[in-house]
Structure formats: structure tokens, C-alpha cells
Amino acid sequence: MGNKQTIFTAQQLDAYQDCTYFTRKEILRLFHRYRDLAPQLVPLDYTNQPDVRLPYELIGSMPELKDNPFRQRIAEVFSEDGEGNMTLDDFLDMFSVLSEMAPRDLKAYYAFKIYDFNNDDFICKSDLEKTLNKLTRNELTEDEVRMVCEKVMDEADLDNDGRLSLEDFQHMIVRAPDFLSTFHIRI
Amino acid sequence: MPKKSDNTRKLEDVGIEIDGDPDSADEVKNTKSKGGGKKPTGKRGKADDSEDGEDEDEDDKPQKARRANRRKAAQQQPEEEDSDDEIPQRRAAGNRRRGKPGANGGENGENKRNKRGGKKQKEGKGKGGGKKKSSSEDSKSEGGDEEEESMSEGERARLMEEVEEKKKLIANIRNKPWRMKRRLKHLKEAQLFVDKFEGALGKGKGRKLYAYKVMMMKKWIKFQRDFDNFKTACIPWERKIKEVESHFGSSVASYFIFLRWMYGMNLVLFSLTFGLVVIPEVLMGLPYGSIARKTVPREEQDSAMDYSVLTDFNGYCKYSVLFYGYYNNQRTIGFLKFRLPLSYLMVGIGTFGYSLMVVIRTMAKNADVGGGDGEDSEFTFAWKMFTSWDYLIGNAETADNKYASITTSFKESIVDEQENQKDENIHLRRFLRVLANFLITCTLGGSGYLIYFVVKRSQEFQNMDDLGWYEKNELEIIMSLLGLVGPMLFETIAELEEYHPRIALKWQLGRIFALFLGNLYTFLLALFDEVNAKLEEEQEIKNASIWFTKEYYANYTLNNPNDTGTPPPMDPADVIRGPCWETTVGIEFVKLTVSDIQVTYLTILIGDFLRAMIVRFLNYCWCWDLEAGWPSYGEFDISGNVLGLVFNQGMIWMGAFYAPGLVGINVLRLLTSMYYQCWAVMACNVPHERVFKASKSNNFYMGLLLLILFLSLLPVVYTIMSLPPSFDCGPFSGKERMFDVIIETIELDLPSFLGTLFTYAANPGLIIPAILLMVLAIYYLNSVSQAYQNANLELKKKMQMARDEEKNRRNNKDSTNQVMKDLEDLLPNRSNLPPAEEAKDKHEEKKAKVKPGAAGNGVNLQKDVSLASANPNARGPVTQAPGPRAPGPGAGRGRGQGPPPRR
């Protein structure tokens, strides 16, 4: 217990527990995962909140993320600087949202951000194409890609403005049977 | 009035105590200083009580001035209210100040520097004085007092609201899509606020209670959190499962989660059985060898310790605490007067009751989580696009497979979309499916007959003496082999059908389930034949045994004519005993379970491990590529494993009543199987070629389990209710029926009026109406749920219609615009392009301008919106919609005919 206490103060742990879906043990485990990425950068003492951020290259190389086609987007969305460089807070944030306990709405919100490649708060055709190409590793022909994107738009775009707003996206994703089971990372 | 003020005073102390509570350590330094500053004040307030009384008259004057002051403060209040974040600090300041005047307020009451705080403190003082000399209190100050009270009431209500709000914020802060830093900041503020003002809330008598409640709430939350931490710490194998999940996807992991769940349930059953039946018997029951049922018969004693006999669960095993026959029918055992027979029956029933409850509860929970209605094909492509990637995958090979499967699934849907299935294909496929089902039915019938045949044969074998190992174990071997070969056969046949793997998995599960069930029930029927035969046999043996006992005593008196006392009891090993069908049944189940374990483990060892070894190491010196070509590595067989588990559990449920030790064996099995299979799957298996998700199949497993539970309940209840227990073994020996134990307990141990109550309750006149009522309730609930479903469907239809309408409207507009555009293209002058286009463009530009700015800030992008509420940005297109449609009439003109677009 002794060395654990020095990483965070009790208040910090409590605050983290209030702000995430994790238990104390999980937070500590996540901290160690974070630290293992770059032991020389991350101090063992977080009581005075050092300003440390790990570059995207390290975050993206985590086994949980390294095979994910959207890893860069995930890191960008959750990092404070938008470049994928993460502080411990961002890191906790990310896995909290992706944890099993997070509610559907929160997950849907972040999923929307992840799939919104150009950050314009709408998923437009180009975003869809990017998503599809990442999912299939460019295996589909251009015609097929276009067709699929059109179909998606056709299905999900409720107000017919040619792009998916957050509401459209939520409307669609909330009904998906697999969304909750697939949009989570067990850490 | 005096009473009230008294309360308030005390309360202030309480409030102070809470504020200065060293536990709430999150308070920032200034808060601490505040608490520190306050405590002494409180004390001093007490000490100064007498002085206050003297100050009373002097206080009168300043009070007026202060009242005016307060009004000013009240006016300021709204402003404060607006600057939301400011309040806590100011309040804090006020609070902090509140104490000080208590120290110096008496001396220089006119000090106007302390506006509100000073006033309040004074008030408290005034009250303190009032309490002391309530008789001499002058009316003026009393009036002031009252006003103060009412004023602070409104304030308090507002404060209360705020505190509640903050509390809500604390509870929900994790649901807000904010950055962690912001969340932490807000959390801290809210906590500070709540800490500070919670204690000051409530009024009159309620105030103390409120403070107490708040304190308890804090403790309770802390306890809950600790308990949650503890609970998650108790869940075993989280990491193991996670590892499997990342390598093989969620479908394989669902098996291991199911296994873990089973383990948990069995642990409870195990503790029930062992805690209430086995351990009391071991500790307090008669020891081994004391009576006939606890002794190996003399003719078996020589071979009772042989390995081969023990592995058959005969010999010492048979006469041990593991089986039904060992238990004595003494009503109470030991100094605790433990009613073992009653407890035995209750545990037997409780096992089923608990299992039923847990399975149904889990099913209900799963169904609740399932949420969305998956059958809707409204969003095929969108769902494929956004939910097909399994974020759990953390293994390159699995990821490759996933990419491939996603690509194929997209291609499939594209093809489906392009041409809605060819006709000749459908006929062929239908034919193949019918053929496959025919073949499978044949297999099922064949396996059923085979088992029936073998069971009959084994009954013949029982009368013979010189039996080889095979003849003895024929039944188990055949059953295990069928369980092994059947699924493989089904899998081969199922390839004819070309179902999607997820559907194929369900079919496969259903078929194997039918196979196992058929086997199990044939086995059971054969077993019942045997039991009936034994019951007939028993009657003769019973007579023989009584006769033998009499003979023994007669002989004894004959041989020792001088001995007038009671003869020494017979050696328990020599007593003639009945067949004890319960133990026989128990042994059958234990044997079946053990052979099942062996077969499962050997299959994994040979079918997976050896195969993997051969493929891996012979590959260097083989003519073709073993890894890519024929044998390759095995895939993890989800359906077979799940069903194996389910059926194993069924056997445990059936057998546990006759062999209490079976539950223990099962717990061991599950425990080892977790480690063994985890290892095997990681070491020797490869991910499925078509990785698919395990959506909701969890409830499918549960459904199977429930069915099996019900089916295994039937025979056990039948035996308990209608077969007579053996006369010389088991806790119910000597009784007509097993459940007589309960009746006996009611008659002998409970007061008589309870007995009559039970007879009334058991009256058919009461039971039949009760059943009727239940049926009616089920009918009613069913129809209600049906109505809800219909309403749901109706709503869905309506939504769809609204959507289509919207779409049509939009499409019409688009098409007209298209026509317009074409027209425009023909015209040389492009200037009179519909203004809406431009407007729209402008609008877009504006938006684009705004967005990057917001995005540039990165963090600030997230507006202060909760998820459910409308995102102002997302609203954009909706409000904008009428804009482009405005030129509709003009466009309609372009079209020439048709109604103008609807608005």
C-alpha cells in the first residue's frame, strides 16, 4: 500500500473515481500502464500534477490500440492538444469512455467525434469514405465505396442535408445491437 | 421562540463541526483556515453567553442599521446568483466572516465592514441572549428575530436547491463529455460548495437531522465505493479473459465469461451443499463403520481399496459422504440438534430454487442490456460502417481476419443490394437445407436408438459376472463418443446450408442440444427402468434382512442361554442390505461426469495440442504446407464447449441430490477447465476465419441453461415426490416418501397452529384458485406486453413514415433544383441562379469560418452541452432547412406541372 499512496493523494483518487468509471484499483493499473509506455518520462509521483504528455507514437503502440484502424483518431479526439499527445488525464478519459460502464450516449458522442475526421462536427461523405477505407484497408473499388457511402447517407441522414449531424448519428447508433459490445476496450 | 432559537444555536454548533470536519480533506487551504477560525468562535460564543446578554440592549440599535444593510445585501443577491461560479467563493467568504464578528461583534457592533456575515453572527448572539433572558426580551428584537428567520428560510431553500444541483452534478460528472481537467475543476468546486453549505441547511428541528443525514450519506457513499472496489477486486480471471478476447474476438471470450459465471453459481451451490449437508454429517454424524449403511459389506472388503474399484466409485467411495446412501435417518445429529434429513431435502430443493432464480435474473438483465431492436434492417450499411470494428481486438492476426471479414460482409451486402438474390440459387439452397435437416434428423434418431440399445445391453450385462473393461464402461464410452462425433458430423452437414456463421452457430447449438438431450433422456429412462427393478428387488431383500436379523438374535440366545441381557449388535459389515437405488443413480451421474471431464480434457490434449504440435514441428519436413493446408491449427469450438458446459451442469443438477459430492467435483472441474482451456486456446488455436461478434448469444446460452435446468428438475422432483426411498440407506430411509420429512417437522417441531395452517394451505381448494390466479396474471401481463409491443411497432411505423415524407419532400426539391440547374446551364446568364443556393453557400461559409476557429481551440470545442440536449451546431441544418426551400414556388414553376412543394 505504501508506494501506491505516493502516486496519488487520496483526494486525487477519489476525484478520479468520480470523474471516470473506474475503481481505485483500475485507476492505479491504468496509471502503471501509462507509465510503462515511457518510464523515463512519467514520474512515479503524481501528487503535484506534473505536466507530462506522451507522444502519439507511444500511445498508438499500446497493444489495445495498435491494431485498431482508428487509433490515430481515438488519440486525437481524446488528447487535449488534438494531436494525439496525451496526458494522464486524457489517457484515463479515453479508457473511461471506452470502458464497459460508460453509457450509450457518452460512447455515441465520442464515436461521432472519432468518425468525424475533419473535425467539422458533421460526418460528411469524405469522412465516410475514410472510415470505410480504413475498415476495409482499401480493398473496395471506388464505385463500391461510393455506393456504400450513399447507402449510409440514405439510411442515417434524417434531415437530408447530405451529412450526418450528431443527432443523426445518435439516432442511428443507439439502435445498433452491437455498438455497446464493440465500442469498448477492456484494459 | 426561545426554544427555536435554542435549536438554532445548537445547530450552528453542529454546522460548525461539520464544516471543520477533518474528514473532508478536499477543502482547499482557505476553507481549512475558515474551519479553524470558526471553531474557536463557536466556543467563544458559548463562553461569551453571559456577556452577550449584557450586550443585548446595545445590540438593539445596530440591528436596525444592519437590517438596512441586509436589504442591500438581498438586492445584491440576484447578481451574485448570476455569476454562477462566483457564489461559492463569496459564500465562503461570507461564511468565514460569519464567525469573526462573534469574537469582536460584541465590542464594536457598528462595524459595517462585515455586511452579511456580521449580521448573522449577531443574530445568533441575539438569540443566545434571548435564550438566557427570554422573559426580559424586548419585543423589538423579537420582531427582528422573526424577520431574520423568514429571510434566511428563502435563502436556505435556494441554497438547498443549489446544493442539490451540485450534488447531481457530482453524481453525473462522469457522463459529461468534458475534458478531464474541466471535470476535475467542476468536481472540486461542486464538492467544496456542497461541503460548505450542506451543514448550514435544514431548519429548526430538522436541521440537526439533516446534518446527520448528510453525514451518513457521505459515509454511505464512501462505503459503497469501497464495496464496489472490493467487488471488482473479487472478480477473477479478468485479465485472462481479456487476453483471450483480444486474440479471438468477443465470441470466444463469451464462452469464458459464461464459464466464469457458471463457476460463480456453482460455488454458491457448493457452499450450500457442503455447509449444510456434508460438513455437519462429517463433524456430527456417526463415524464410518458404526452402522450398516456406513460400512463396506464383508464380501467387498478385500477389494474395496483397489484402484479399479475406486475409479468405478465402488468400495470405500460408495460408502462415503459423497453419496446419498451414507447419510443416516436420525432426526437430529450432534449436540446442536442439527436436523440433517430436513436439511438434506431443503438443500436439494434450494439448489434448484437458487439456480432458477439466478438464471432467470441474469436473463432478464441481459435482455435489458440488449436494448436496441437488432432485427430492424433500417440501418444495415450504417451499422456495418460504424459498429463492425471490434475495438477489443488487440492481435494482428485477428485484426487481419477482421478486416477480411468486414470487407466480405460489405461486398456481400453490396451484392445483395444490387440484385435481390438469384432464383436458381434459392432453390438449390433450399434443397440443400432440407437435405441437411433430413440428414441431421437421421443422425439424431440413430444416436437415440444406439443409446437405448446400449442401455438395454448393459442391463443384461449386469447379470453376468466375467465382464471386460469395455463391457463395464460401454455406456459411458458410447455416450462420450456420440458427444464427440455428433457435433463434428453436424458441422460437416451444416456446410451444405451456407448460413451466416452467427446463424449457423445457433443452428449448430440447437442441433447438438437436441442430440445431447436425446441421449440424456434415453439414459434417464433406462435408469428409471433399473430403479424400478431395484425397487421390486428391495422388497424381497427387506424381508430377508429382517428374517436374518431375527435369526441372528435367535441364534445368539440359543448359543448363550445364560445371557439374559440384550445380545451385542450385529457387526455392521454382515448385515444384509438393499440395493439402495439412490446411491446407484448417484454413482451413475458421478461416473458420467468424470468420464465427460476425461473426454473433454483428452480431446483438447489430442485434438488441439497434439495437432498443433504436429502441424508446427512436422511442417519443416513435410511435402505440403501443414499450417496453410490440410490439418492446420484447430479453431476454438464455441458451440461444442458451451453445450458441454450446459449439459455438464444439467447432470450436476440431476445428480446433486443423490451424490452431494458431485457439486464439489464440478467446482474443481470448472476451476481447472478455466486454466486449462485458457491455456489451450492461447497455445494451440487460431482465430476463426470469419470473426464474428457474439451479439446477444449470451442470452441464448442462458436460454439453453434454463431449459436444461427445467428438464433436470423433472426427474428429481418426480423421484422426491413419488418414489419410495430405500429402506436401509439415506436420510429418508424408513419413510413412505422423501417429503415426509417436512410433514414430520411440521407436526413435531412447530407449534400446532402452524401445522393446521399448513394443512389449510395445502388444501386443493386453496391451491387451485391460487394457480388460477397466477395463470390469469400471466395472461394479463402477457396481453399488456403485447399491447406495448404493438404500440411500439405503430410508433416505429409513424417515424418511418415521417422520415419518408421528409425525404420525399427533400427529394422533390432536389429534383426541381436539378431541373432549374439544367435550365440555368442552358442560359448564358448565370446570375439569376436561385438565391437560395447562394444563401446556403454563404451560410456554409459562415459555418466553416466558425468551425475552424472553434476547432483551433481544440479543447474549447466542446460546448457546455450535456449529451441529451440539442447540440447547437447539430441543430444548424434543421433550422436552416426552410431557407433553401423558400424559393420552392419559383422552382415549381420551372417544373411546369405538379403541385407546388409542400411546406
Side-chain angles (χ1 to χ4, degrees), chain A residues 11 14-21 23-25 29 33 63-64 66-70 74 77-80 89-90 92-93 98 103-106 109-110 113-115 119-123 128 131-132 134-137 139-140 144 147-149 151-152 154-161 163-167 169-187, chain B residues 25-26 170 173-181 183-184 187 191 225-226 228-229 232-233 238-239 241-242 245 257 260 369-374 377-396 399-400 403 406-407 410-411 414 417-418 502 693 695-696 799 803 806-807 810-811 844 847 851 855 858-859 861-862 867 870-871 873-875 877-878 880:
Chain A
Q11 295 98 295
D14 273 345
Y16 278 137
Q17 281 182 71
D18 271 328
C19 290
T20 64
Y21 298 94
T23 61
R24 179 175 314 158
K25 200 177 132 201
R29 194 164 74 212
R33 288 298 306 273
E64 278 81 5
K66 79 176 187 318
D67 291 304
N68 196 320
F70 305 110
I74 297 174
V77 164
F78 284 100
S79 63
E80 210 171 332
D89 285 355
D90 297 336
L92 284 175
D93 227 5
L98 288 169
R104 212 178 263 262
D105 281 341
L106 188 70
Y109 177 83
Y110 278 103
K113 300 218 68 133
I114 286 171
Y115 294 123
N119 283 330
D120 64 351
D121 281 357
F122 289 98
I123 293 182
L128 286 181
T131 310
L132 191 58
K134 277 195 188 287
L135 268 181
T136 56
R137 286 191 175 160
E139 296 267 328
L140 296 180
E144 283 169 334
M147 193 199 144
V148 169
C149 292
K151 285 304 280 182
V152 171
D154 196 37
E155 285 168 0
D157 185 16
L158 291 182
D159 47 16
N160 286 294
D161 58 352
R163 48 192 190 169
L164 301 183
S165 63
L166 178 62
E167 279 163 345
F169 187 77
Q170 275 177 340
H171 178 82
M172 180 268 295
I173 210 82
V174 160
R175 281 162 184 73
D178 298 332
F179 176 60
L180 276 190
S181 63
T182 55
F183 196 73
H184 94 255
I185 293 180
R186 210 182 288 241
I187 189 111
Chain B
D26 335 25
I170 291 177
I173 197 153
R174 59 184 76 168
N175 291 348
K176 297 243 156 59
W178 295 344
R179 296 259 172 240
M180 183 71 84
K181 224 177 229 170
R183 253 185 266 170
L184 283 175
L187 179 75
Q191 270 174 349
R225 180 169 286 170
D226 284 348
D228 276 352
N229 282 343
T232 36
E238 194 67 35
R239 299 191 63 77
I241 289 175
K242 193 224 134 193
E245 201 163 39
I257 291 171
R260 182 173 66 180
V369 170
D373 28 13
S377 57
E378 205 180 342
F379 296 117
T380 344
F381 280 94
W383 284 348
K384 268 212 178 95
M385 174 92 85
F386 294 118
T387 67
S388 59
W389 183 261
D390 196 341
Y391 278 61
L392 285 164
I393 290 173
N395 171 271
D400 282 344
Y403 283 123
I406 289 176
T407 313
F410 266 118
K411 280 191 173 154
I414 291 170
E417 198 61 33
Q418 275 166 351
R502 204 183 307 166
K693 283 155 292 186
S695 83
K696 284 214 222 161
M799 260 169 65
R803 232 183 109 197
E806 173 85 11
K807 217 168 237 180
R810 175 67 61 145
N811 283 347
E844 217 113 81
K847 262 210 173 138
K851 286 295 146 41
V859 199
L861 182 75
Q862 274 134 5
L867 278 168
N871 185 340
N873 289 333
R875 270 271 190 249
V878 183
Q880 184 192 341

Side-chain angles (χ1 to χ4, degrees), chain B residues 568-823:
Chain B
M570 205 163 26
D571 185 347
D574 292 330
V575 178
I576 294 183
R577 50 192 85 195
C580 196
W581 61 268
E582 292 96 337
T583 301
T584 319
V585 172
I587 287 179
E588 283 302 326
F589 276 111
V590 172
K591 263 158 99 177
L592 216 55
T593 309
V594 169
S595 78
D596 183 45
I597 297 173
Q598 285 165 351
V599 169
T600 316
Y601 285 14
L602 277 181
T603 321
I604 292 174
L605 205 63
I606 295 170
D608 286 327
F609 185 62
L610 213 65
R611 180 171 162 190
M613 290 281 273
I614 290 172
V615 170
R616 177 87 178 75
F617 292 110
L618 281 187
N619 204 21
Y620 298 119
C621 49
W622 205 259
C623 340
W624 69 82
D625 189 1
L626 284 174
E627 282 184 347
W630 170 58
S632 176
Y633 298 104
E635 286 180 356
F636 187 77
D637 175 18
I638 304 169
S639 55
N641 276 303
V642 166
L643 280 181
L645 210 58
V646 167
F647 270 85
N648 174 57
Q649 193 58 42
M651 285 197 283
I652 304 304
W653 277 324
M654 266 191 260
F657 189 71
Y658 302 110
L662 194 57
V663 189
I665 294 176
N666 191 40
V667 166
L668 275 183
R669 178 226 167 112
L670 292 177
L671 190 66
T672 49
S673 154
M674 187 81 200
Y675 287 102
Y676 185 54
Q677 287 196 302
C678 261
W679 164 78
V681 81
M682 293 301 284
C684 349
N685 287 4
V686 289
H688 287 254
E689 226 166 274
R690 292 182 69 178
V691 182
F692 55 95
K693 283 155 292 186
S695 83
K696 284 214 222 161
S697 51
N698 254 335
N699 242 1
F700 190 66
Y701 299 163
M702 286 291 160
L704 291 183
L705 199 64
L706 189 66
L707 190 61
I708 270 288
L709 176 57
F710 184 69
L711 290 177
S712 54
L713 187 68
L714 286 181
V716 175
V717 169
Y718 172 73
T719 52
I720 290 179
M721 296 307 277
S722 55
L723 286 186
S726 303
F727 74 96
D728 66 344
C729 69
F732 312 112
S733 56
K735 301 216 165 47
E736 195 69 7
R737 295 280 179 263
M738 290 182 188
F739 63 86
D740 283 350
V741 178
I742 297 178
I743 297 171
E744 192 189 71
T745 313
I746 290 172
E747 277 171 1
L748 296 182
D749 294 342
L750 295 180
S752 59
F753 77 91
L754 271 180
T756 44
L757 216 67
F758 270 108
T759 42
Y760 284 137
N763 192 343
L766 213 68
I767 289 178
I768 291 172
I771 291 176
L772 258 177
L773 201 70
M774 272 196 264
V775 169
L776 284 179
I778 289 173
Y779 172 75
Y780 172 72
L781 289 178
N782 202 30
S783 52
V784 163
S785 81
Q786 208 102 47
Y788 280 138
Q789 247 166 22
N790 282 343
N792 229 347
L793 225 70
E794 202 67 25
L795 282 176
K796 217 180 274 172
K797 245 186 234 162
K798 238 178 225 171
M799 260 169 65
Q800 184 67 33
M801 253 158 66
R803 232 183 109 197
D804 285 352
E805 202 170 300
E806 173 85 11
K807 217 168 237 180
N808 279 345
R809 208 188 303 169
R810 175 67 61 145
N811 283 347
N812 282 346
K813 189 222 71 175
D814 273 353
S815 67
T816 49
N817 261 6
Q818 204 58 47
V819 175
M820 269 307 274
K821 260 184 221 160
D822 291 348
L823 276 176

